[in-house]
Amino acid sequence: MTYSERAAAFAALHQPGNPVVLYNIWDAGSAKAIAGAGAAALATGSHPVAAAQGFADGEQIPLEFVLGNAERIIAATGLPVTIDFEGGYARAPEQLTANVKRLAETGAVGLNFEDQVVGGDGFYSIEEQARRVAAVRAASADIFVNARTDLFLKEKDASKHAGLLSEALERGAAYAEAGASGFFVPGLTDPELIAGVCEASTLPVNTMMRGITLETARQAGVARASYGPIPHARLMQVLAEHFQTLA
């Protein structure tokens, strides 16, 4: 298939109430394992990619490694691959467009793009982040831009999440108008709030599967279920436990 066809096939997997399951991987080996287990698509997580190489999360791993890693993952399987691209490794729109063009050249058909200021404090304003989303879209008409808001992830007190819903939806609408393909709300775990986002959003909604089940996600109308750092963390725990049994 052509790049456009692969990107369209990936986008078609996003069905509200029947979410595509992305059990996040970090290298070609983990990609082959999940592909062999029957996955329809693959997604990296920025934290496991960084941790597997001894880096901290938050764009601490070099961009060149991220791009090379994407190429190796894509070459390892025939599945569509989306890359956790954090904040795009740039603030200025022109550099964002250049970076995402390079990502698309690896064959990646999607990316996560977040609205927190990576390496800084707080969030980009809605207006600036919308311009940044537009710059990402300018790099490719086909790539799936999964626009992420970190409002819920940054607020650890879940009792305050309802109060963030209005701003989250405002951000989602602005990102959609700027050219986003999907809306990612990691950290949101309340089923009613998730359902509210799914109902209000014009974009397919992505949740992180920490604290919720797939059935909950389905009933809420989620179109994409991501596991983020969970798979890597679980496997590292198993690895340590296996070593400990040797004694």
Side-chain angles (χ1 to χ4, degrees):
M1 292 194 294
T2 66
Y3 180 85
S4 294
E5 290 170 339
R6 284 186 286 117
F10 177 65
L13 294 174
H14 295 70
Q15 301 173 13
N18 183 29
V20 57
V21 176
L22 298 175
Y23 201 68
N24 298 72
I25 49 88
W26 51 93
D27 60 11
S30 55
K32 292 179 74 171
I34 298 303
L42 297 171
T44 65
S46 66
H47 185 279
V49 169
Q53 301 301 318
F55 290 92
D57 198 12
E59 296 184 3
Q60 295 302 298
I61 191 167
L63 175 60
E64 295 303 323
F65 183 90
V66 172
L67 296 172
N69 192 48
E71 289 181 339
R72 291 187 290 274
I73 289 170
I74 292 160
T77 79
L79 294 179
V81 176
T82 181
I83 300 297
D84 188 343
F85 212 48
E86 303 192 75
Y89 280 76
R91 180 162 191 159
E94 297 81 3
Q95 190 59 53
L96 277 172
T97 300
N99 289 351
V100 176
K101 281 183 178 179
R102 294 185 67 194
L103 179 66
E105 288 168 359
T106 70
V109 296
L111 75 156
N112 284 357
F113 184 60
E114 58 201 52
D115 61 7
Q116 67 171 309
V117 179
V118 178
D121 295 321
F123 305 87
Y124 290 107
S125 69
I126 295 174
E127 294 76 15
E128 181 174 3
Q129 185 64 6
R131 290 193 294 271
R132 284 163 48 79
V133 170
V136 170
R137 171 56 65 211
S140 168
D142 299 311
I143 200 165
F144 193 101
V145 182
N146 199 34
R148 166 177 145 172
T149 184
D150 290 274
L151 289 174
F152 304 109
L153 194 62
K154 289 291 190 181
E155 178 51 74
K156 304 303 182 185
D157 185 351
S159 69
K160 297 180 179 180
H161 284 179
L164 298 173
L165 192 62
S166 178
E167 181 181 346
L169 293 176
E170 185 180 359
R171 284 179 175 273
Y175 303 163
E177 186 174 355
S181 314
F183 187 41
F184 188 15
V185 288
L188 190 60
T189 58
D190 184 289
E192 291 186 6
L193 294 181
I194 294 171
V197 172
C198 292
E199 183 177 355
S201 177
T202 60
L203 299 175
V205 174
N206 180 192
T207 57
M208 185 179 291
M209 305 304 294
R210 177 182 283 161
I212 60 173
T213 66
L214 265 177
E215 184 56 31
T216 296
R218 292 188 184 103
Q219 291 180 2
V222 168
R224 173 168 168 168
S226 301
Y227 285 78
I230 298 171
H232 180 264
R234 286 178 174 171
L235 285 174
M236 294 305 99
Q237 181 179 355
V238 168
L239 185 65
E241 290 172 352
H242 282 186
F243 173 75
Q244 289 172 343
T245 64
L246 298 178

